[in-house]
């Protein structure tokens, strides 16, 4: 005999504001009429979210959801955190926008705080703020090419690095590629997936074996020198693929010997999301040149 159990939400001291906006059907119709169909909702009956409070979201009926998705790992401190609201509100009342040609204490203070959470002695102390992960990767590739004077980039199959033209060329998932010119000079090495790859999960030499493929690509598809190697410390969109032990250490050494820089794409793994470490690369015992 089986016993059915129903999960109940824990108590939470927040009453959502009664929703008075347009009905869900109207919102859906307006979205279909005026937004690109390329922007998906993922659901047959899309959920409409109108309020958030810490780890919870509320739909237009006031129904509460536990948010395990956090806006695709974006809302790192919960929804409408009072400290975030207060800081945004205070700044909005004083000054909303100028430009980087003027000084303002906050932008350099923020850069200093970010540098402060990089591993000690890493030399990672200079920030360049961008608007998205794709732009950050475009910029990282551009900087690596200009700094090294090399052109070729090594990336991994099953990687996701964004959808701008350069980032799409780094990405190696067919669901996120369009038939347009992209990825000139980008070479994708074997995905070091311990579950699905050619070597078993328990293979103690998996790190070295997957790294050997990077060397093979380096020797067969590039002039022997590269601008950079880019990888996610844990592949996110590709399905939470954790790199085998020692893999990054070997690949980073190989890439540096070929004149290249090592780029860690921390869009999903950074900012404390993996728990123990602030950055995903720290679990691999390596220090990238660009994060
Ligand atoms: C690892 C990784 N890199 C880059 C990106 C692209 O970021 P954005 O969508 O902000 O351009 C994403 C987005 O999900 C990502 O997961």
């Amino acid at each position: 005999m089986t016993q059915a159990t129903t999960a109940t939400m824990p108590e939470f001291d927040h009453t959502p504001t009664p929703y008075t906006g347009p009905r869900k059907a109207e919102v859906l119709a307006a979205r279909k009429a005026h937004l690109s169909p390329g922007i998906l909702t993922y659901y047959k009956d899309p959920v409409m979210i109108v309020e958030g409070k810490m780890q919870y979201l509320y739909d237009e009926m006031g129904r509460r959801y536990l948010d395990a998705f956090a806006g695709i790992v974006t809302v790192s401190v919960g929804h409408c955190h009072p400290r975030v609201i207060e800081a945004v509100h205070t700044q909005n009342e004083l000054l909303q926008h100028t430009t980087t040609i003027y000084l303002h204490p906050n932008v350099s203070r923020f850069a200093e705080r970010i540098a402060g959470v990089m591993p000690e002695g890493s030399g990672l102390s200079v920030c360049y703020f961008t608007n998205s992960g794709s732009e950050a990767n475009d910029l990282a590739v551009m900087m690596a090419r200009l700094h090294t004077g090399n052109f070729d980039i090594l990336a991994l199959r099953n990687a996701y690095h964004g959808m701008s033209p350069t980032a799409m060329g780094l990405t190696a998932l067919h669901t996120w590629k369009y038939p347009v010119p992209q990825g000139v000079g980008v070479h994708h090495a074997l995905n070091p997936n311990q579950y699905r790859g050619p070597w078993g999960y328990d293979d103690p030499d998996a790190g070295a074996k997957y790294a050997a493929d990077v060397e093979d690509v380096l020797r067969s598809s590039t002039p022997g020198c590269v601008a950079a190697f880019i990888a996610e410390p844990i592949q996110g969109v590709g399905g939470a693929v954790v790199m085998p032990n020692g893999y990054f250490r070997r690949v980073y050494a190989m890439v540096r010997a070929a004149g290249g820089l090592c780029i860690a794409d921390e869009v999903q793994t950074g900012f404390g999301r993996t728990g123990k470490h602030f950055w995903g690369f720290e679990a691999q015992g390596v220090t990238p040149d660009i994060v």
Side-chain angles (χ1 to χ4, degrees):
M1 209 172 81
T2 56
Q3 195 180 357
T5 53
T6 313
T8 51
M9 293 278 252
E11 293 292 314
F12 187 58
D13 187 17
H14 176 74
T15 307
T17 308
Y19 176 74
T20 55
R23 288 179 305 118
K24 189 161 104 174
E26 290 171 58
V27 173
L28 188 59
R31 176 156 163 153
K32 280 189 174 154
H34 302 295
L35 286 186
S36 161
I39 300 168
L40 309 171
T41 60
Y42 277 20
Y43 307 95
K44 278 187 195 138
D45 178 18
V47 182
M48 184 153 101
I49 297 297
V50 295
E51 190 169 330
K53 186 72 185 169
M54 301 311 286
Q55 71 271 41
Y56 294 113
L57 291 171
Y58 297 87
D59 67 15
E60 77 284 9
M61 309 300 287
R63 193 165 25 213
R64 179 159 56 107
Y65 299 80
L66 176 62
D67 185 9
F69 203 32
I72 316 190
V73 287
T74 303
V75 188
S76 300
V77 294
H79 296 278
C80 303
H81 193 292
R83 280 177 62 186
V84 175
I85 291 177
E86 195 193 332
V88 170
H89 186 72
T90 307
Q91 185 58 53
N92 269 342
E93 284 195 326
L94 279 178
L95 177 68
Q96 292 182 317
H97 177 72
T98 57
T99 154
T100 48
I101 66 168
Y102 303 121
L103 289 180
H104 190 281
N106 284 358
V107 67
S108 22
R109 201 169 71 187
F110 184 41
E112 197 179 354
R113 297 281 292 273
I114 299 266
V117 291
M118 290 295 172
E120 225 175 302
S122 64
L124 292 163
S125 58
V126 177
C127 294
Y128 194 125
F129 295 111
T130 59
N131 295 304
S132 69
S134 302
E135 273 178 81
N137 288 331
D138 285 4
L139 181 71
V141 165
M142 170 87 81
M143 289 196 298
R145 282 179 167 153
L146 295 179
H147 177 75
T148 62
N150 298 332
F151 183 68
D152 292 81
I153 304 284
L154 301 173
L156 297 179
R157 292 187 197 145
N158 198 51
Y160 184 83
H161 294 295
M163 288 294 278
S164 63
T166 300
M168 193 193 295
L170 301 170
T171 292
L173 286 156
H174 78 278
T175 41
W176 299 104
K177 277 188 172 291
Y178 290 119
V180 293
Q182 58 177 281
V184 182
V186 177
H187 313 279
H188 290 105
L190 197 59
N191 174 23
N193 185 329
Q194 296 178 91
Y195 283 103
R196 297 200 168 86
W199 293 289
Y201 183 75
D202 297 325
D203 187 338
D205 297 325
K209 288 174 177 171
Y210 286 110
D213 187 68
V214 178
E215 183 154 34
D216 201 32
V217 173
L218 187 66
R219 288 188 176 181
S220 58
S221 308
T222 78
C225 51
V226 293
F229 165 75
I230 182 166
E232 303 152 271
I234 298 172
Q235 289 177 342
V237 176
V241 177
V242 178
M243 302 291 132
N245 281 339
Y247 175 74
F248 272 158
R249 260 203 305 279
R250 286 184 169 81
V251 174
Y252 273 30
M254 210 181 280
V255 167
R256 284 172 175 149
L261 302 183
C262 299
I263 305 168
D265 179 343
E266 293 277 354
V267 168
Q268 292 216 19
T269 47
F271 296 91
R273 295 192 194 100
T274 59
K276 198 167 164 195
H277 303 287
F278 199 81
W279 304 105
F281 64 77
E282 291 178 85
Q284 291 283 334
V286 292
T287 305
D289 302 294
I290 303 176
V291 177

